[in-house]
Every structure is written in structure tokens, then in C-alpha cells.
Amino acid sequence: MAKSIDVKDLDIYYGDFLAVQGVNVHIKARSVTAFIGPSGCGKSTVLRSLNRMHEVIPGARVEGKVVVDGQSLYGAGVDPVAVRRQIGMVFQRPNPFPTMSIYENVLAGNRLNARKLKKPEADTIVEKSLRGANLWNEVKDRLAKPGMGLSGGQQQRLCIARAIAVEPEVLLMDEPCSALDPISTAAVEDLIHELKSDYTIVIVTHNMQQAARVSDDTGFFNLKAVGEPGHLVEFNPTTKVFSNPDESATEAYISGRFG
Amino acid sequence: MSTMVDPGPEAPEAPPVEAKPPTRLGDLLFSKVSLVSGLIVILFLAGVGTFLLIQGLPALDASGEATYGEPDIWKFVGMLLYGTIYASLIAIVIVTPLAVGLALVISHYAPKALAKPVGYLVDLLAAVPSVVFGLWGLEVLAPKLLPAYKWLNEHFSWIPLFDGSVNSRSLLTASIVLALMALPIVTALLREIFAQTPRAHEEAALALGATRWEMIRLAVFPYARSGMVAAILLGLGRALGETMAVAMVLSATGTGYLTLSIISAENPNTIAAFIANNYANASGDKINTMIFAGLALFLLTFVVNFAGRWIATRGQNKG
């Protein structure tokens, strides 16, 4: 089910404002790709354009191509709703549905697919997804309790369980650990390692150690200059980016000389 | 006063226990003004309550002429309460889907350029005087509804709602006018509540592949549930007390009829409309009777509004 993503000459606009320019990148299937870079350089924008979530903001549009396994996401007649069902997303702040139980939170996406779930079938999906998110042992005795009662790290893993319950082709993560403490962060990072065998994962992070720990490939984004659009400076295997990057700007950012 | 504002050189001489932080004149003034305004509101409310009690309670043993033909005061006030609540409930049944839809259009569906003017227009509806609503209901709406009523009566008269001799100035006409009058406040409240849905919840739903309507069902409604109940109750409070439009539109004499029919000429009457239509010709015991009816209405709207506020604040804590 995991698929590769090809981005070609992607420009992203908010109204007339060009936020990101000329992104070309090939994201491999069953791998973790990290986007790093200073705030406001457009890495989250690029991430959100991969499942058309940026369109939620009025006036947002793209030029260029995003191709998932040979199929263009922005082709005429492609329904953004269908795209988002195939490409799941986890956000910066854990956002379980506050009025739903843990059980119902996991099933929220499956319920949207309109077909009636039989109870045993639903149970199987919940257990499989929660196990997949390394949360099953912690919550199996309180599935009927509200999802908001969990700790921040557990909530984030619940959100990951909810995202993988619909078996997406790709999982996008927008700074998934930035609201979590180190222990929860470690739990989520372990999970990312495990999910890699089944999913294509793209993760945006501000934490460069995290990028180095979890990812196979790393893309460094930066603004061309103040007031100019963001662009992809370098895209290489993570080991290369962190030891011997092609661009001096990448090295400056990674070694902490700016940003 | 100046020493209070600026303790200045005397401050060190004062014993440490009595040392107080300086009080600013502006803060002091403002807190007193707020306190007095708050007290005045409470005094007014208490004054109205006392007036209604003192003037209304003598009507407890009124009967015959003083209760407009009803055997005792309870039957009298009960008939009017029935009409008041019945008319308001129908109005709420009409206004709720309308207001929810309109509020969703304004908060989630329409582009900003359209949502704003529509919002203003709905707010403007609140500025239309109730006399104008009454005139419009009587002269424009009622004749237009008559054919529909006739059709309903012809085909569905076996439902008690549509039984009786058809009349355009029926309870349903009055309730539709009431619904339009409650629409702005209910819509405005719902709009605010819907707009407060955390973006994170909406994005969570959208990222799972929810359509806009599914997103609203998944993220907006659960979050807004208690606020919606509160908004509808506050709208009900508005409909309960509305006088002029009902007095003009509704064809009802005296305390009206105890009937379920909403399209006939024989209608229940509402408290506010009854008082408006009869107060000018009343004297003696009848005045007490009417004030007693006013007391009943006061308590009813108070309870409904209080319930609305209570649910609204309870929902806020839940987050």
C-alpha cells in the first residue's frame, strides 16, 4: 500500500503571495523523509500540499505537479476528499475528537467511508490500529473513556492510530513531537521506525536530531532571501545531509550558525 | 485623595502592617461605577418582581368577570400559558433548522465576501420593529399562507394540527412571524459558537477525508452541542415574551381555545398578546388578573433564559 511521491516544479501560492517556489523532490516508498528548515520557509506548506490540506485556507493554490504512484493529485476531476482518504496526516498538536471515546476516535475515519462496520470488524480495526500505534497495552482497558483523558503523548499516538486505521498510502506528520515531552517523543519516534515498513512517511520537524534519528532522506528548506519565497535548498540521504552536505547553507543551518 | 494616589514620603513612616499598595483614582472610580450599575440592574429586577407579586397576588381568588369568564385564576392563566408555550414551541421548531443552516452558511460554507453581508442582513432583521413584523404578517404573510392552510386542512384534517375551520390569522401564522423575529438572535449566537470550533478539530476531520458536511458533523456539532441548546433556549425566551406581532396577527378572543389546531380560526391566546389587547379596557380586579398573568410570563421567561445561560456556561467549561 505504501507509495512513492514525485513532486515536480511545485509553486504554492496563498492568494497572490508566492510562498514556496520550484520544489522538485522524489519521496521513496516505505521510507521516512524529513523536511527541516527555519520557521516560515514553507516546509509545512509543502507537506500540506501533498494531501491538499493547504486548500483549507481560502485562496491557497498550487502550480506544478504532485504525482503519487503515477497518479497526479492535482489533475482535473481529482477530489481532494478522496486524496485525503489515501494520504493521512498527523498534526503538531494532538487533536483527538473531544467528545468521542478512544474507540470511536480510532474509527472516525472508517466511519466516514459510509459503509456500516460490524462490531467484530470494528474491534479488529481498533485493536490493529492501536497496536500499530504502540498504544494498545496502555488503553485496552479503557477504550470507552474519552480520548482527551490521555496524556499528550498518548493523544498523539491515538491520532496516529486514527490516521492508520484507514490504511492510507502515505502518512504526513507536521511536527508531530513539538508539543510532547522527551519520553513521549521517544515513543513516537520508535513508532515512526516501525511504521516505515508499511507506510511512506513524510515528517516536518524543527528538531534536527530528530530528523537525523528517524529519517532516511532529508530535505532542507530555506527562504531565498528575506521577503522572497521559500525553496528546497538540498535533498539528499540523511547521512549525507548531516555529515557532508552539498550546500554550504545546509551546513550552516545544521551546525547552528544560523536559523 | 492625593495621599492615596501617591503615598510619597509618608509611606516609610507608616507601620509595615498598614502599608497598602497605592490605589489609582481611575481604578477606584471605575470599580465603583461598575458596582453601582450592577446593583441598579439587580434592584430593577427585584422591583419588577415585587411589583408583579404585590399587584398580582390579590388576583389569586379572582373569578367570573375578573378572570374573563374562566372559573378561577389558575384556569385563566393556564389557558394563556398553554397558548404562549405552544406558539413559542412551534416558532422554535421552525426557527431551529433555519438558524442552524444560516449560521453554518455564514461560518463555514459561504466565502468571506458573501458571509459578511449575509451576517449583517440577518442582524438587521433584529432591528425591524415588532409592529412592522405584525403588519407584514397580517397584510402580506397571512393571505399568502391561506391556500396552503386550505390544502393542509383538506388532506390532513385527520391530524389534530390541521383540524378545524381554516383561518389565515391562525396560530401557525403567528408562530412563523415569531420564528422570523427570533431568527436573528438565534443565528447570531449559533454563528459565534460554530466559528469558535477549534481549527485543530476541523483539520483532524478534513485530514481523514471528511467532506465539509462530514467535518461539520464530526467536529463542529459535537463541539457546539451545548451552545446550540443554549442559543435555542434564548430564542425561545425571545419568542415567549413577544407581544405586538402576536397581538396583531393572531385571531383570538379572550383566553382563547384549548386546541391543538394551528391553522384554524379558534386559537389559543398568548399572555403578552392578551395583555396588550385587553389592558386598555380593564379596571379593578381585571388589572390584578392581568398582572398575575404578567407574573407567570415573567417567571417562565426567567426560567427559560436562566436555563439557556446555565447550559451555555456549563458547556464552556467542558471545552
Side-chain angles (χ1 to χ4, degrees), chain A residues 3-15:
Chain A
K3 292 187 174 170
S4 62
I5 306 172
D6 276 298
V7 179
K8 288 185 196 119
D9 298 323
L10 186 71
D11 296 341
I12 306 174
Y13 294 83
Y14 290 115

Side-chain angles (χ1 to χ4, degrees), chain A residues 2-259:
Chain A
K3 292 187 174 170
S4 62
I5 306 172
D6 276 298
V7 179
K8 288 185 196 119
D9 298 323
L10 186 71
D11 296 341
I12 306 174
Y13 294 83
Y14 290 115
D16 293 330
F17 173 70
L18 178 59
V20 183
Q21 193 175 29
V23 175
N24 284 289
V25 76
H26 173 75
I27 294 164
K28 292 199 288 276
R30 292 175 210 277
S31 71
V32 179
T33 303
F35 289 167
I36 59 170
S39 293
C41 65
K43 55 195 186 306
S44 287
T45 300
V46 172
L47 186 80
R48 292 166 71 97
S49 73
L50 298 184
N51 73 341
R52 300 187 65 166
M53 270 302 284
H54 72 296
E55 287 172 22
V56 172
I57 296 159
R61 65 197 164 85
V62 304
E63 284 170 15
K65 268 191 154 178
V66 178
V67 180
V68 176
D69 204 38
Q71 201 195 354
S72 172
L73 291 193
Y74 289 92
V78 175
D79 180 4
V81 169
V83 168
R84 292 181 203 134
R85 286 190 183 174
Q86 289 167 16
I87 304 180
M89 189 158 197
V90 176
F91 296 86
Q92 187 170 357
R93 304 199 73 84
N95 54 0
F97 294 115
T99 51
M100 288 185 196
S101 65
I102 294 169
Y103 187 92
E104 285 302 319
N105 256 296
V106 176
L107 287 176
N110 302 69
R111 296 246 194 260
L112 284 179
N113 290 328
R115 71 197 165 94
K116 278 264 176 278
L117 283 173
K118 294 218 172 60
K119 174 81 173 140
E121 201 183 348
D123 288 346
T124 314
I125 293 173
V126 169
E127 180 170 349
K128 188 173 156 221
S129 308
L130 285 173
R131 278 192 196 282
N134 276 341
L135 193 60
W136 175 252
N137 287 328
E138 290 159 68
V139 301
K140 65 181 175 205
D141 299 323
R142 45 173 174 156
L143 291 174
K145 294 266 164 60
M148 294 300 274
L150 300 173
S151 76
Q154 290 172 327
Q155 284 185 26
Q156 192 63 300
R157 279 178 284 150
L158 176 60
C159 293
I160 294 172
R162 181 176 66 188
I164 60 178
V166 291
E167 307 195 329
E169 288 156 1
V170 178
L171 203 53
L172 307 176
M173 298 185 167
D174 192 355
E175 300 181 37
C177 301
S178 64
L180 305 183
D181 66 80
I183 293 170
S184 305
T185 300
V188 172
E189 285 183 9
D190 288 346
L191 175 57
I192 292 172
H193 263 296
E194 289 167 25
L195 291 174
K196 193 168 85 167
S197 53
D198 289 322
Y199 297 95
T200 305
I201 296 173
V202 187
I203 177 171
V204 163
T205 176
H206 270 296
N207 180 333
M208 280 177 283
Q209 285 77 26
Q210 181 171 64
R213 281 193 300 264
V214 301
S215 71
D216 303 299
D217 295 309
T218 297
F220 170 57
F221 286 81
N222 200 1
L223 296 176
K224 282 180 173 166
V226 176
E228 298 268 308
H231 69 139
L232 181 62
V233 177
E234 175 168 351
F235 187 82
N236 266 318
T238 300
T239 44
K240 181 167 168 56
V241 170
F242 281 91
S243 58
N244 181 25
D246 288 339
E247 303 287 330
S248 58
T250 313
E251 194 183 2
Y253 182 73
I254 285 165
S255 59
R257 266 183 279 141
F258 94 101

Side-chain angles (χ1 to χ4, degrees), chain B residues 26 46 87 90 92 96 131 142 164 184 186 201 231 238 251 306 315:
Chain B
I90 298 170
I92 286 304
T96 302
V131 173
V186 182
H201 299 167
R238 168 106 167 86
S251 115
F306 191 79

